[in-house]
Amino acid sequence: MATVLDDIISGVREDLKTRMRAIGPVQIIEQAAAAPAALDAAAMLAAPGPVKIISEVKRKSPSKGELATIPDPAELAGSYEAGGATAISVLTEQRRFGGSLDDLDAVRERVRIPLLRKDFMVSEYQMFEARAHGADIILLIVAALDDRQLHDLFQQSADLGMTALVEVHDEHETERAVELGARVIGVNARNLKTLEVHREMFGKLAHLIPDDCVKVAESGIRGPEDIAYYVSQGADAALVGEALVTGGEPSQAVRTMIEAGARARQGVA
Ligand SMILES: O=P(O)(O)OC[C@@H](O)[C@@H](O)c1c[nH]c2ccccc12
């Protein structure tokens, strides 16, 4: 039976064909080469200091439907940056998440911190496209890729100077990510095949991830308490979407999460 992830990816491949007809492979490679160099996001995420918040521009999702209209994604990203976010995640998947590369462009013009192109990466073309539109980080979802694809896209991200956030949801996927040599590994609490959230997954998998990797807790983070919980479980960073786009006061929300993380690390949460 086709999973939600399979359905999303077949839509992604359809939309990809349309974009490839408009801008061919030679052209996209040239555009990627002409873009200013990517920021070293892995180093910024690995730097000492409080928990790193990756704040997401997210309009809707397959699990929750409409979350926020976000008429001005650059404005939202600017607020995240002002609140102390280490990086901004911009969903570019159109059908299920209501994002676009235009959003990525708009955010790139506004902020100086690293940008994650959040999409379902299944082809080399998308990697050049990410770089051409100013992304510093790309997402590789282990569940969506076979070993060959995972290896090739990981290598390509390095060749383009980008950081790969390698996303896992179970033990086997975590082993594959570690074997790959990933420096930044995200544990997605949401199973993309069923959309169920399992917040305990981070704690179950974190010990399989070497200490010199950045450990990112992803999805289902409702507020500062969840940040404190993940920090106590060893998270170096957290990726937050819904709670920031629906809560109002995005700057303050980011700030409060960072403070909660700092308190948890000192053991006074
Ligand atoms: O809105 P949330 O529950 O805070 O989740 C953010 C982020 O983790 C989530 O958007 C996400 C994690 N992995 C993904 C892969 C594709 C699309 C989306 C995602």
Side-chain angles (χ1 to χ4, degrees), residues 56 58 97 118 120 139 167 188 190 218-220 241-242:
E56 189 156 278
K58 185 178 196 181
F97 294 88
K118 181 72 107 52
F120 297 80
L139 181 72
E167 179 175 297
N188 193 354
R190 186 172 290 111
E218 300 179 5
S219 300
E242 180 179 347

Side-chain angles (χ1 to χ4, degrees), residues 166-188:
V166 181
E167 179 175 297
V168 302
H169 182 70
D170 65 24
E171 292 194 2
H172 182 57
E173 289 173 14
T174 309
E175 282 160 14
R176 289 176 63 198
V178 172
E179 231 160 83
L180 184 67
R183 312 299 306 154
V184 182
I185 298 182
V187 176
N188 193 354

Side-chain angles (χ1 to χ4, degrees), residues 5 12 36 39 46 155 167 176 182 211 218:
L5 184 59
V12 163
L39 300 168
Q155 186 58 50
E167 179 175 297
R176 289 176 63 198
D211 277 337
E218 300 179 5

Side-chain angles (χ1 to χ4, degrees), residues 151-206:
H151 179 272
D152 289 353
L153 295 177
F154 182 75
Q155 186 58 50
Q156 195 193 352
S157 66
D159 293 345
L160 289 167
M162 295 190 288
T163 294
L165 166 57
V166 181
E167 179 175 297
V168 302
H169 182 70
D170 65 24
E171 292 194 2
H172 182 57
E173 289 173 14
T174 309
E175 282 160 14
R176 289 176 63 198
V178 172
E179 231 160 83
L180 184 67
R183 312 299 306 154
V184 182
I185 298 182
V187 176
N188 193 354
R190 186 172 290 111
N191 180 334
L192 290 172
K193 296 176 180 169
T194 61
L195 301 184
E196 283 167 20
V197 172
H198 301 278
R199 286 191 190 79
E200 72 287 0
M201 209 40 101
F202 183 89
K204 283 192 182 153
L205 302 180

